Amino acid sequence: MIMLIDSHAHLDMPHFDADRDAVIARAREAGVVAILTLGVDGISSRCAVALAQQYEGVFAAVGIHPHEAQHATPEDYKTLMGLARTRETNRIIAWGEIGLDYHYDHSPRDVQRREFRRQLRMARELDLPVCIHSREAHDDVLTILDEEKAVEVGVVMHCFSGDEQVARRCLDLGFYISFAGPVTFTNARKLPAVVTLVPDDRLLIETDAPYLSPHPWRGREHRNEPARVAIIAARLAELRGVASEVVGQRATENFQTLFKVPSAG
Ligand SMILES: [Zn+2]
Ligand SMILES: [Zn+2]
């Protein structure tokens, strides 16, 4: 039986309200032993914690997404810090998702950078690894992560979208690289080369569910779900010339190492 993890999902989203139990059950049947569900603002971070308390194998991350950066209030941060200070009860294993998104620019870039740095400092204070969203902002993201010494708590670049050069810089800085649905897209040009570049001990896999459905579900079925991380593992295995089980095993071990969770299988 293959062992898998989903290092990045948003189980709190309303897309799952009608059948969340079944979605999580399907993930377990597919071999997924752990799912990290991440907050994007104060409310979804609280929901992530509630889900982690409700479902075995589900863990929470709290944080403010760059899209929401300009709406974050001191109250939000107080709540997140409070939740994270009692991380065992709240089953919080990471801070995120945080980062910079210069594609959508939903928040002004200077505000995004300010809130990103603020949260990296909080994560360091709490000694929590960080889950990073970087879209068309790799230079600034890597500079800030480096300056804020984020590697000391552990870093994963979620849904990696950079080229080989960016990947090399991330690896040099000591970060993990996580691949999602886009690696399966038939028009994924740069990603296959990046996949073969990442060593076994830095590799993670994720769905970013309900977003980013992998091929062949892209477009056909809009909603993605954690069980489909098996498709990501199979694609990575194909590109790396190993069995899916090997990718699943490595990703599971890396998940346990980075997030300091006891052996989930
Ligand atoms: Zn993201
Ligand atoms: Zn996400």
Side-chain angles (χ1 to χ4, degrees), residues 8 10 40 65-67 97-98 101 132-134 158-159 206 208 211-212:
H8 192 113
H10 299 277
V40 295
H65 193 283
H67 288 344
E97 66 176 287
I98 57 174
D101 192 313
I132 305 300
H133 174 105
S134 175
H158 116 80
C159 188
E206 63 170 89
D208 203 14
Y211 313 112
L212 295 176

Side-chain angles (χ1 to χ4, degrees), residues 64-83:
I64 310 285
H65 193 283
H67 288 344
E68 310 300 329
Q70 66 179 329
H71 305 298
T73 64
E75 278 307 304
D76 286 330
Y77 287 121
K78 240 175 93 180
T79 304
L80 301 192
M81 289 289 278
L83 288 169

Side-chain angles (χ1 to χ4, degrees), residues 104-121:
Y104 287 107
D105 281 326
H106 285 331
S107 284
R109 291 182 182 183
D110 58 329
V111 175
Q112 290 190 43
R113 286 190 290 265
R114 186 187 70 208
E115 300 307 307
F116 183 31
R117 275 189 200 275
R118 187 201 304 277
Q119 294 185 83
L120 289 171
R121 286 167 195 179

